[in-house]
Amino acid sequence: MKTTRTLATAVAAAVTAPLLLLAAAPAYATTVTPPPAAPSVSAPTPSPSPSPAAFGKKPSIAELEKAVTQARKAHQDAVAAQEAALKELRKSHRERDWPEAVALVAAEKEAETAATAHTAAAKALEEAEAKLAALPGTATPEEREAAEKAVETARTTEATAATTKATADAKRAAADDAYIDRYIEDARAYSLLKKAVETAAADLAAAEKALEDARKNGDGGDDDGDDGMCKGDDRLVAELTGLPAKVTAGGTVDFTVRVTNNTGEAVDRAYGRVTLAPGTHTLVPLFKPRYAVGTSTTWRDWNSWGIDVNVGALKPGAHADLRLRLSPSAKLEKWSGRIEVSGSYERDGECAANTTLKSHTFQVVAATPSPTPTPTANTPAPQGGTKTAPLTGTTTTAATTGGTLAKTGSSDALNGLALASGAAVLLGAAAVYGTRRRTTGA
C-alpha cells in the first residue's frame, strides 16, 4: 500500500507544475470582513484542465515509460546547455560575438593606435628639442628660428596625441567594464543552468521511481480498488481579486485569492492554488512573487512559479484569504501572461479538486515618468527630480494560516511530489489536479 501511494503521488507530481509545499493549520478559518474588493480585471476564463471523468484514470505503464523518456531527454538537454554555456565562458573576449566583446576589441585597437601615435609624437618632440639644443653658436637666426618652430610644432602634436590617448584609454576602460558586467550576467546564467541540471536529475529520478513502483504492482493501482486520484468538485471556490490589467515594471502589486467552502459540509483542509503562467525557471526571479498568510506581516518568497497553500479547515459557507504580491523587475517590460487559480480540499481522508482553472490575464508595462512641473513667474522651480509611486493592488488580511499541500498518506509521497517532473506534462488528464486520495491510518 505504501509503495502504491508513493507511485500515485509521483504520477501526480509528474504531470503538474512544481508547487511550493507549505505547513497546515488545524483550526477553522473564520469569515473575514469586510470582503475583498471586486475584481479589477474582466471575468476569468477557464483554462484547459481535465474533465471530472479523468480524475479516476490511472496512468498506464506506457505513459509512465513515456514520462521517463521525456524526463531523461530534459536532463540531457539541461546538461548540454550547461556544457555549452561553460564552453562559452571559457572563450577569450576576442573570440566572442557579444556586442560588448566587439566594442571592447574595437576600443582596445583604438587605444593601441593612440598609444603608438603618442609614442611617436613624444619621440619627435624629444628629437626636435635635441636638435635645437645642439645648434652651434655660429647658427644663423634663420636656422635657430626653424629649429624652435620645429620644437613648437612637435610639442603641439605630442599634446594632441596625449589627449587622444587619454580619451581612447577611458573608452577602453568603459568597454572593459561593460564586458565584465556581461560576463558576470552570463556566469549567473550558468549557475542557473547548473541548478536546472540538478532539478532535471531529480525529475528523472522521480519518473523512474514511479515507473519502477508501477511495474512492481503490475499496473500501478492499489490492491483495494482505490483509483488513487482526487474526485472533481468545483463547489470549493477560489476567486482572485485586486489584480489590475496592467502592472508597472519596477512597481509592486498586491492581490488576494479567497477560498470559499460552498460544498455544504465542513472540510478538514482547504487549498488555494496559484500559478504564474507561462512559467519558466527564469520567470520567478523577475517577478519576485511573495505570499502572506494569517495576520502575519512577513512576506515569504515562492520557490517555484506556483504555490498550493493550505488555508486551514473551513466550515460550510466560510472562507479564508491568501494575500499575494508581485514585484516585476524594472527591466521586465511588454510582458503578457496570466495568473491561474483553483481550489481543492480534504475531508475524512478523501480529496477533491476543481476541474477548471480560472485564468486572469495581465500585462507588465513600462513606468510612465511624471512630467516636470513648470515654474511660475513668482514661484521658484521645484528642486530635484520627480518620483513615481509604485502601482499597487488591493490587499485583504488573511483569516487563518496555511501550510503544506495535503498529506498524501506517507512522507515518501510528499518527497515524490516535491520532485515534480515538468518534463512529463504530456501525461495530461491523468492527474493534472489529482493529488493522491488520502486515507486514514496511512
Side-chain angles (χ1 to χ4, degrees):
M1 293 294 292
K2 185 174 181 181
T3 300
T4 305
R5 289 192 178 94
T6 302
L7 167 64
T9 303
V11 172
V15 296
T16 59
L19 299 175
L20 175 62
L21 305 180
L22 310 170
Y28 278 103
T30 57
T31 301
V32 177
T33 55
S40 56
V41 294
S42 58
T45 56
S47 293
S49 59
S51 63
F55 282 98
K57 181 182 178 181
K58 298 178 183 178
S60 65
I61 294 295
E63 289 173 323
L64 291 172
E65 288 175 340
K66 184 177 181 180
V68 170
T69 299
Q70 292 173 333
R72 183 174 293 113
K73 177 65 166 53
H75 179 256
Q76 292 171 346
D77 290 345
V79 171
Q82 179 191 10
E83 292 176 348
L86 181 59
K87 183 178 180 180
E88 182 70 14
L89 284 175
R90 286 174 173 170
K91 290 181 180 179
S92 74
H93 70 269
R94 291 182 175 273
E95 297 174 311
R96 295 194 175 97
D97 58 0
W98 299 348
E100 296 84 358
V102 173
L104 177 57
V105 170
E108 286 178 338
K109 184 177 181 180
E110 184 178 338
E112 291 171 1
T113 300
T116 300
H118 178 257
T119 299
K123 183 177 181 180
L125 174 60
E126 181 181 350
E127 291 174 350
E129 290 175 336
K131 287 182 179 180
L132 176 61
L135 282 177
T138 58
T140 66
E142 290 79 9
E143 291 175 335
R144 184 169 297 278
E145 181 181 357
E148 290 174 347
K149 186 174 182 180
V151 169
E152 181 179 352
T153 300
R155 185 174 290 115
T156 300
T157 301
E158 189 276 337
T160 301
T163 299
T164 302
K165 179 179 180 299
T167 301
D169 288 342
K171 185 176 180 180
R172 178 175 59 182
D176 191 55
D177 288 343
Y179 173 81
I180 291 175
D181 288 343
R182 170 63 187 271
Y183 185 89
I184 291 174
E185 288 299 319
D186 275 41
R188 288 174 178 170
Y190 173 73
S191 69
L192 291 177
L193 290 174
K194 289 180 63 178
K195 183 66 176 179
V197 170
E198 296 171 2
T199 300
D203 291 344
L204 176 58
E208 290 175 337
K209 182 65 167 58
L211 176 60
E212 178 185 358
D213 289 347
R215 286 171 172 168
K216 287 181 180 178
N217 286 278
D219 63 355
D222 287 341
D223 54 13
D224 58 2
D226 186 4
D227 60 21
M229 296 298 172
C230 295
K231 65 180 181 180
D233 191 344
D234 291 321
R235 294 177 299 170
L236 186 95
V237 180
E239 294 285 350
L240 181 150
T241 60
L243 178 67
K246 294 183 178 181
V247 178
T248 303
T252 296
V253 61
D254 293 351
F255 55 99
T256 301
V257 171
R258 169 164 290 187
V259 181
T260 304
N261 179 13
N262 291 335
T263 66
E265 301 179 55
V267 298
D268 301 327
R269 284 167 292 277
Y271 298 85
R273 175 170 294 187
V274 185
T275 305
L276 179 61
T280 67
H281 73 280
T282 59
L283 183 64
V284 175
L286 293 175
F287 274 93
K288 296 182 180 177
R290 288 164 285 174
Y291 70 94
V293 293
T295 58
S296 173
T297 58
T298 300
W299 290 90
R300 304 179 182 178
D301 295 333
W302 298 9
N303 67 351
S304 182
W305 54 84
I307 53 175
D308 207 1
V309 183
N310 183 347
V311 296
L314 288 178
K315 294 180 180 180
H319 65 258
D321 293 341
L322 171 65
R323 294 178 289 131
L324 301 119
R325 173 172 292 175
L326 296 179
S327 300
S329 168
K331 298 180 180 180
L332 187 65
E333 300 177 5
K334 298 181 181 180
W335 182 92
S336 297
R338 61 192 182 276
I339 295 289
E340 295 177 339
V341 299
S342 65
S344 61
Y345 67 87
E346 290 179 319
R347 179 194 296 126
D348 299 330
E350 299 294 325
C351 66
N354 291 168
T355 62
T356 303
L357 301 176
K358 295 175 182 177
S359 181
H360 295 261
T361 59
F362 70 101
Q363 291 181 322
V364 177
V365 297
T368 302
S370 299
T372 302
T374 302
T376 62
N378 298 323
T379 303
Q383 299 299 312
T386 61
K387 182 177 182 181
T388 302
L391 177 64
T392 60
T394 58
T395 303
T396 304
T397 303
T400 58
T401 103
T404 188
L405 184 63
K407 183 177 180 181
T408 54
S410 71
S411 59
D412 297 9
L414 282 176
N415 291 335
L417 181 57
L419 297 176
S421 174
V425 293
L426 294 183
L427 287 186
V432 170
Y433 278 94
T435 324
R436 175 62 176 89
R437 176 171 294 176
R438 285 79 181 176
T439 58
T440 57

